[in-house]
Amino acid sequence: MADDEVIIREGIHSVIQWDELNLVPAGEAEDGQEALELALAQSADIVLVDLSMPIMNGLTLIRHIREKLPACKMVIITGHDEFAYAQEAIKFEVAGYILKPINPDNLNQVLASVIAKLDNDYTQKKLLQSASRQIEKHIDLLRDRFCLEWMSGELSLDEIREQLLFLDLPQSSLSAVCVILWPELASGEMLYSQRDRQLLLFAIENIALECFAQERNGEEGCIHFRDYDGYLVFMLQHAPSAKLLEHIKQSVQSFLNIRIHSGLAYNGEDMDGIHFVYQQAKASIQRELKLSPLIKQAKEWIAANHKDQRLSLEQAARVLNVSPVYLSRLFKQETGRSFIGHLTYTRMKTAIELLQGSDMTIQEISQQAGYETQHYFSTAFKKITGMSPIQYRKR
C-alpha cells in the first residue's frame, strides 16, 4: 500500500477483510520510491497506489512495477479532481480504481475482483506451462507431422513459416533435399526384427546428420524426418557434395554392414515448393532401383569420367562393349534422360557443388565440370538454371 497520508494508510488497513479475502499485508510506504523497493522485496501480488506522492508519483511507480513485476496487479487510489490524471494509467493496465473518500465495501469488492483476476492468471499460467511441457515432450512427433504435411503440398507459405517458427526449425531457405533409403524396406525383405530395423534406421540417420554437420564445420543446418515410405529425408540449407553422399554410404556400410541408396535434388528460393524437390529426390532413387546392371555401369562411368571434355556415347559404348544405338535406347528407357542429357546433368551437378562449396574461379569450375570454354559452360548453365554461374554464386 502506497499513500503519503498515514491516516489514509491506517484507514485502508483497518477496513480490508484480510482473512475473508485470504490476503496478507506486505507493508506500507509513504512515497513512491519506498513503495517500489517494498514491492520488489516482497514480490507483491497487489499494490494499492496513490497517484499524488512525493519523490516518485503514482504513475511512475506503476510504470516501474509493470516493468519489474509484470504479474503484479495495481489498484489506483484517486480523488475526484484527479480522475482525468488517473485515466493516463489505463495504458499500464491497472486492475481497478478506488475513489476518495474510500468506501470500505467498494474497496473490498475491488480487491475481491483483483484476486479473481490473479487466480485466473495463475490458472492460465499453469495451463500454458502444462501445454508447453506436453509440446516439449512430443516435439519430435509434432515436427515429423508438420514435415509430412509440408511434403504433401497441403500448406501455404504463411503456414510453413508459422510452423517453422513454432517448432524452432531453421527459417532460412533450403538449398537441397537429400533422401536415403535402406533397400530392405523397399524390397519388403524382412531380414531384421521390427526393433532392429528401427535401431538401424536411427543409426543411419545419426551417421548422415554427423556427416552433414562435419562438412559445415559443426553446423547441422537441416530439417530431417522419416516419411511414410521409410525414406530418411534431409532438407538442407547447404547442398552436400557428391563426395559427402558417397562418404555417408561408405560409413553406413563400414559401421552397420548394410547398403543404402541416396537421392539428391536441388531447390531454388521457394519454401512452399520444396515438396516438389522432395519428390524429385525420391524419384531418383526409384529410378536407380530399377536400373539394369549395364545402365548402372554407364552412370558410374559417366560420374567418374565427366571431366573429360571429349566424353561421348560412342566412347562409353566401347568401354561397356555394346552398340551406341542399344546403349542410347536403353539409357533413355530406364533413366528418362538421354545419355547426353545425363552427362549434362552430372556436369551441372558438379558445377553447382563447386559454386556453393569452393573458391574456384568460373574458368576452373568449367574445366572441372568438363567444358572446353568458360563461355560454353556459362551458356549451358544459364539455359538449365535460369541464371549465370556468377549470379548463382552470389545468390
Side-chain angles (χ1 to χ4, degrees):
M1 184 193 323
D3 196 295
D4 61 336
E5 297 184 47
V6 64
I7 190 170
I8 293 180
R9 296 200 305 271
E10 291 176 351
I12 291 174
H13 188 281
S14 66
V15 298
I16 292 177
Q17 298 170 350
W18 298 102
D19 293 338
E20 289 84 347
L21 295 172
N22 197 26
L23 290 175
V24 176
E28 299 176 9
E30 63 181 14
D31 62 65
Q33 183 61 47
E34 183 184 0
L36 177 60
E37 293 172 359
L38 185 60
L40 296 178
Q42 299 292 329
S43 296
D45 294 310
I46 303 173
V47 177
L48 302 179
V49 181
D50 182 21
L51 290 180
S52 299
M53 290 187 296
I55 302 179
M56 181 188 293
N57 66 35
L59 286 180
T60 304
L61 171 61
I62 289 170
R63 186 179 70 251
H64 285 305
I65 291 179
R66 175 62 64 229
E67 291 173 355
K68 301 181 186 309
L69 292 175
C72 180
K73 301 296 183 184
M74 286 166 285
V75 177
I76 286 180
I77 300 172
T78 179
H80 287 285
D81 57 339
E82 297 173 329
F83 190 71
Y85 180 51
Q87 286 180 311
E88 293 183 33
I90 291 174
K91 62 184 177 182
F92 297 114
E93 300 179 1
V94 295
Y97 297 90
I98 298 175
L99 292 176
K100 298 178 181 177
I102 295 171
N103 180 292
D105 290 338
N106 181 49
L107 171 60
N108 285 292
Q109 287 175 3
V110 169
L111 289 175
S113 173
V114 172
I115 291 168
K117 291 177 183 177
L118 279 170
D119 289 342
N120 182 64
D121 288 353
Y122 179 78
T123 301
Q124 290 296 321
K125 182 180 178 181
K126 286 296 181 183
L127 289 173
L128 287 173
Q129 288 175 343
S130 177
S132 180
R133 285 194 297 271
Q134 289 298 314
I135 289 172
E136 189 65 30
K137 182 179 178 181
H138 300 291
I139 190 69
D140 289 338
L141 179 62
L142 292 173
R143 286 172 177 167
D144 286 350
R145 185 176 298 172
F146 158 64
C147 288
L148 289 167
E149 290 181 359
W150 187 6
M151 293 305 102
S152 69
E154 298 174 358
L155 302 179
S156 67
L157 183 56
D158 287 341
E159 289 173 324
I160 292 168
R161 288 173 174 164
E162 182 182 349
Q163 289 294 315
L164 289 172
L165 182 63
F166 173 68
L167 297 170
D168 195 25
L169 293 170
Q171 305 291 302
S172 56
S173 60
L174 301 166
S175 296
V177 176
C178 175
V179 295
I180 291 176
L181 182 66
W182 179 18
E184 179 182 327
L185 296 178
S187 65
E189 299 174 3
M190 298 304 174
L191 302 179
Y192 298 87
S193 67
Q194 176 66 23
R195 176 179 177 277
D196 287 345
R197 285 199 301 276
Q198 292 304 317
L199 287 173
L200 285 168
L201 281 172
F202 182 73
I204 295 169
E205 191 172 38
N206 279 323
I207 289 172
L209 288 172
E210 186 174 338
C211 291
F212 291 137
Q214 284 176 351
E215 188 173 63
R216 301 304 307 176
N217 296 320
E219 296 179 12
E220 187 174 296
C222 80
I223 301 169
H224 57 93
F225 69 100
R226 300 181 197 178
D227 73 6
Y228 294 121
D229 298 322
Y231 284 81
L232 300 176
V233 184
F234 304 87
M235 295 181 280
L236 303 157
Q237 290 178 297
H238 305 282
S241 64
K243 290 181 179 179
L244 178 63
L245 295 184
E246 188 59 34
H247 176 58
I248 292 173
K249 290 181 181 180
Q250 291 173 357
S251 297
V252 170
Q253 178 71 43
S254 175
F255 289 111
L256 305 178
N257 197 29
I258 57 177
R259 185 170 55 90
I260 60 171
H261 294 290
S262 65
L264 180 68
Y266 297 99
N267 183 40
E269 294 291 327
D270 297 333
M271 296 291 275
D272 55 344
I274 197 78
H275 61 283
F276 293 119
V277 184
Y278 155 74
Q279 293 293 347
Q280 290 170 8
K282 287 182 68 172
S284 69
I285 288 184
Q286 288 301 319
R287 287 193 298 269
E288 191 74 25
L289 290 172
K290 297 175 182 177
L291 294 182
S292 64
L294 174 63
I295 299 305
K296 286 183 180 179
Q297 282 183 281
K299 290 183 68 177
E300 289 171 359
W301 186 81
I302 290 173
N305 297 278
H306 69 273
K307 294 179 185 179
D308 183 355
Q309 299 168 2
R310 297 167 298 176
L311 191 149
S312 65
L313 172 65
E314 289 72 19
Q315 186 180 2
R318 284 197 302 272
V319 171
L320 298 170
N321 199 27
V322 294
S323 73
V325 174
Y326 176 72
L327 178 59
S328 176
R329 184 175 67 250
L330 191 61
F331 204 100
K332 177 70 173 178
Q333 179 182 317
E334 293 193 17
T335 69
R337 288 194 188 104
S338 67
F339 179 90
I340 297 301
H342 183 73
L343 174 59
T344 301
Y345 166 81
T346 304
R347 285 172 168 168
M348 288 300 159
K349 183 179 176 183
T350 298
I352 287 172
E353 290 172 0
L354 294 175
L355 285 168
Q356 291 182 333
S358 79
D359 295 325
M360 287 184 177
T361 65
I362 304 301
Q363 174 65 33
E364 290 170 334
I365 290 174
S366 68
Q367 292 174 350
Q368 288 294 313
Y371 288 91
E372 291 184 22
T373 66
Q374 179 178 333
H375 175 73
Y376 182 30
F377 163 65
S378 297
T379 301
F381 190 92
K382 188 169 185 178
K383 183 178 180 181
I384 290 174
T385 65
M387 62 186 79
S388 70
I390 294 176
Q391 290 173 326
Y392 188 91
R393 173 171 271 175
K394 287 181 178 179
R395 186 206 67 173

